[in-house]
Amino acid sequence: MSDNTTTHSTWTGTIPVDDTALAVTDTGGTGRPIIYLNGSYASQRHWQRVITDLGPDYRHITFDERARGKSKRSTDYTFEACLRDIDAVLTARNIHQPLLVGWSYGALLAVHWADRHPDRALGVVGVDGPYPAGWTDEAGRERLRKTFRRMRLLLPLVAPLGLAARMSADQHAEIQIEAHALHAALGPLLDRATLPIRYVAASADTVYDKGGELEEMRRTLDPYLARNPNLKISARVASDHGKILRNDSPAVADAVREITGLLDHKAG
């Protein structure tokens, strides 16, 4: 079990889980452990600015999901597999009570893991997510499949940059289809949340969303914010969804400090 009195050394390596192996980095230290959960096809490199902003007062754990970054491929890319990966990393690094910081798909993973482990999670920082809305009809699913099929030649080229996974276009699409269904069913989880969940919300349109659909999804959070005091918007920033970690890492760091401040106050 990790605590604030034991010193942990910096470690980089691979952790086996199921039929794959995950690339993991643990900065060590004696501070509260934070596990960072990436966007759908992103890699751990996206968190470097946030980690720098927070500094050595925290223990930072990042990892690449299956077929992303430096991690190995798998036969299973489902949401449940991703939740198992979190468990595997925490167990291997001997961490019992983490603060979870997730971006986009990673934010969805964070709130689900925290919901399943309310006695272990210290809290969640959701970077532009998760929002209780998603496309669940066949038209929406087919739209996602067509989008990724059009991008099929580009995906292998941007994967080394942490912008896609080493998988087929259809596999990319199925991850999004499952995520949209989970987002659409998120309401009861947000209503029953007892841990602090802080959102850092983007506001600009992205190049792939000029119709304002993401902003509509963000607004679906409003009634849950009104009902559950454990949910709060820590910051609304000017960036779009894809650039928020690059341009607004200080806001993410502040949301982490907001939660740890609450924990310190409670402990005191």
Side-chain angles (χ1 to χ4, degrees), residues 163-208:
L163 301 175
R166 300 189 309 282
M167 58 180 70
S168 71
D170 284 343
Q171 287 172 317
H172 278 81
E174 290 307 314
I175 289 171
Q176 284 299 311
I177 288 168
E178 182 183 36
H180 273 272
L182 289 164
H183 276 100
L186 191 62
L189 186 154
L190 295 178
D191 273 333
R192 67 175 176 259
T194 58
L195 295 166
I197 299 176
R198 296 295 181 268
Y199 283 79
V200 178
S203 58
D205 287 341
T206 66
V207 295
Y208 52 84

Side-chain angles (χ1 to χ4, degrees), residues 89-107:
V89 171
L90 293 175
T91 298
R93 300 310 302 151
N94 199 27
I95 295 166
H96 181 66
Q97 286 188 304
L99 174 63
L100 299 101
V101 180
W103 170 37
S104 191
Y105 184 81

Side-chain angles (χ1 to χ4, degrees), residues 116-184:
R116 297 186 187 192
H117 304 281
D119 58 329
R120 292 183 58 192
L122 296 177
V124 171
V125 173
V127 183
D128 211 26
Y131 302 113
W135 305 323
T136 58
D137 60 342
E138 184 54 36
R141 292 191 290 267
E142 189 56 28
R143 173 182 172 183
L144 288 166
R145 294 186 184 104
K146 288 180 178 178
T147 296
F148 282 101
R149 286 169 186 164
R150 286 196 299 268
M151 298 169 58
R152 67 188 183 280
L153 299 179
L154 180 63
L155 295 173
L157 301 178
V158 299
L161 304 176
L163 301 175
R166 300 189 309 282
M167 58 180 70
S168 71
D170 284 343
Q171 287 172 317
H172 278 81
E174 290 307 314
I175 289 171
Q176 284 299 311
I177 288 168
E178 182 183 36
H180 273 272
L182 289 164
H183 276 100

Side-chain angles (χ1 to χ4, degrees), residues 20 22 38-46 64-74 76-78 82 85 105 148 151-176:
T20 188
L22 307 175
N38 310 327
S40 299
Y41 318 111
S43 66
Q44 55 185 311
R45 61 186 287 271
H46 289 88
D64 294 326
E65 263 296 350
R66 304 171 185 217
R68 286 83 147 178
K70 296 180 180 179
S71 292
K72 303 297 184 182
R73 288 186 172 93
S74 174
D76 187 355
Y77 299 116
T78 61
C82 293
D85 291 344
Y105 184 81
F148 282 101
M151 298 169 58
R152 67 188 183 280
L153 299 179
L154 180 63
L155 295 173
L157 301 178
V158 299
L161 304 176
L163 301 175
R166 300 189 309 282
M167 58 180 70
S168 71
D170 284 343
Q171 287 172 317
H172 278 81
E174 290 307 314
I175 289 171
Q176 284 299 311

Side-chain angles (χ1 to χ4, degrees), residues 13-81:
T14 58
I15 292 174
V17 54
D18 297 343
D19 64 348
T20 188
L22 307 175
V24 180
T25 300
D26 180 350
T27 64
T30 60
R32 282 197 175 97
I34 304 173
I35 186 165
Y36 297 87
L37 306 176
N38 310 327
S40 299
Y41 318 111
S43 66
Q44 55 185 311
R45 61 186 287 271
H46 289 88
W47 295 106
Q48 290 310 305
R49 284 182 172 85
V50 177
I51 291 170
T52 299
D53 290 339
L54 285 169
D57 290 340
Y58 298 86
R59 180 181 174 188
H60 307 280
I61 300 94
T62 59
F63 72 98
D64 294 326
E65 263 296 350
R66 304 171 185 217
R68 286 83 147 178
K70 296 180 180 179
S71 292
K72 303 297 184 182
R73 288 186 172 93
S74 174
T75 58
D76 187 355
Y77 299 116
T78 61
F79 192 79
E80 288 297 320

